[in-house]
Amino acid sequence: MKALVVIPTYDEADNVQAIVPAVLGQDPELHVLVVDDNSPDGTGDIVEKMRENEPRLHCLHREGKAGLGSAYIAGFEWALAETDAPFVFEMDADFSHDPASLGDFLTAIEDADLVVGSRYLHGITVVNWPLSRLILSVGANIYASIVTGLPLKDCTGGFKCFRRETLEKLPLDRVKSDGYSFQIELNWHAHRQGLRITEIPIVFTDRAVGVSKMSKKIIWEAVWMVWRLRLFNGR
């Protein structure tokens, strides 16, 4: 196994049947772990059916919807306990993250501990977002970098590649946030430990199928969480 790609799902039945083969088709040594939160639309059942003919596909079934951050934590813990994968990815199920970029991450991780796919490294490389969503995202990243001191153009992006050793060093048991703030928190812990964080440019395309999981709760959590990092060192 060259790398494990962790993909959280909740009601992604239409997307999961396409994203899994698209990811696995990038490299014969890639594996995928779907972390499904008991999706009402049967996403987990679809993945289990796909697994019958695909040994590189794995599925972690959770009892219910518990949030993006905890899904990734569960996936990371599974990766560390159940595999010897040297690299572990975060990736969305809805094709907002292009599977063709996985090779770029694997090249960049050779000289880094964490690689972050950036929508704002060279201008703005976001497709099909409404202006209000784009303004929110750009503003959130400026705000987060100022408050936390993170030297990143895209603090909130969710397309990432970790070295195994990086995940082993991160205090995963102390990370409680979701959404935007989850991504900021992981970056902050890595930066605080002096790990090498590299950004590479990606093109982010808004989902064509399914419903966005963004909510006001996720936004406000990010607003306050960055101050918790700054003032209380993540405690």
Side-chain angles (χ1 to χ4, degrees):
M1 187 185 299
K2 180 180 293 183
L4 179 72
V5 181
V6 179
I7 302 178
T9 57
Y10 185 78
D11 283 354
E12 296 286 1
D14 292 326
N15 285 313
V16 76
Q17 299 177 74
I19 193 67
V20 168
V23 170
L24 295 179
Q26 300 301 313
D27 191 301
E29 295 185 61
L30 287 178
H31 285 234
V32 168
L33 171 66
V34 173
V35 182
D36 185 67
D37 278 6
N38 196 21
S39 297
D41 71 351
T43 300
D45 294 334
I46 292 171
V47 175
E48 286 299 333
K49 186 66 175 177
M50 295 172 69
R51 290 186 63 214
E52 294 177 4
N53 299 306
E54 182 47 78
R56 292 186 291 147
L57 175 59
H58 317 273
C59 192
L60 180 59
H61 298 275
R62 305 206 300 168
E63 293 183 357
K65 190 176 182 180
L68 181 68
S70 66
Y72 273 128
I73 295 297
F76 295 158
E77 291 175 341
W78 188 93
L80 294 176
E82 303 295 334
T83 81
D84 59 356
F87 307 115
V88 180
F89 281 87
E90 288 186 22
M91 188 176 182
D92 288 348
D94 60 8
F95 282 94
S96 56
H97 301 149
D98 186 355
S101 297
L102 290 167
D104 296 333
F105 281 85
L106 290 172
T107 298
I109 198 70
E110 294 178 3
D111 298 308
D113 299 305
L114 166 60
V115 178
V116 176
S118 177
R119 298 161 291 182
Y120 309 119
L121 188 60
H122 303 309
I124 297 174
T125 51
V126 176
V127 179
N128 292 337
W129 260 5
L131 182 60
S132 59
R133 180 75 183 273
L134 184 59
I135 291 173
L136 172 64
S137 179
V138 171
N141 276 286
I142 294 172
Y143 171 78
S145 64
I146 290 173
V147 175
T148 64
L150 280 170
L152 297 173
K153 295 288 188 180
D154 194 346
C155 301
T156 63
F159 198 2
K160 296 178 177 176
C161 181
F162 299 82
R163 282 188 177 273
R164 181 186 190 88
E165 295 82 2
T166 298
L167 288 178
E168 291 171 339
K169 292 176 181 177
L170 296 180
L172 298 179
D173 59 329
R174 285 167 40 199
V175 177
K176 306 300 182 184
S177 53
D178 272 316
Y180 278 158
S181 56
F182 172 76
Q183 306 300 350
I184 299 168
E185 192 168 359
L186 285 191
N187 292 335
W188 184 85
H189 282 296
H191 177 61
R192 188 165 180 265
Q193 293 191 34
L195 300 178
R196 300 168 299 167
I197 306 177
T198 296
E199 283 186 282
I200 64 171
I202 62 166
V203 175
F204 181 96
T205 304
D206 195 20
R207 66 162 61 232
V209 178
V211 179
S212 172
K213 311 302 191 296
M214 179 58 65
S215 68
K216 290 182 179 179
K217 177 183 177 182
I218 289 174
I219 295 171
W220 282 108
E221 180 185 49
V223 169
W224 296 111
M225 190 278 300
V226 293
W227 287 102
R228 177 170 64 85
L229 295 177
R230 177 169 177 171
L231 298 176
F232 303 105
N233 291 324
R235 293 193 293 271

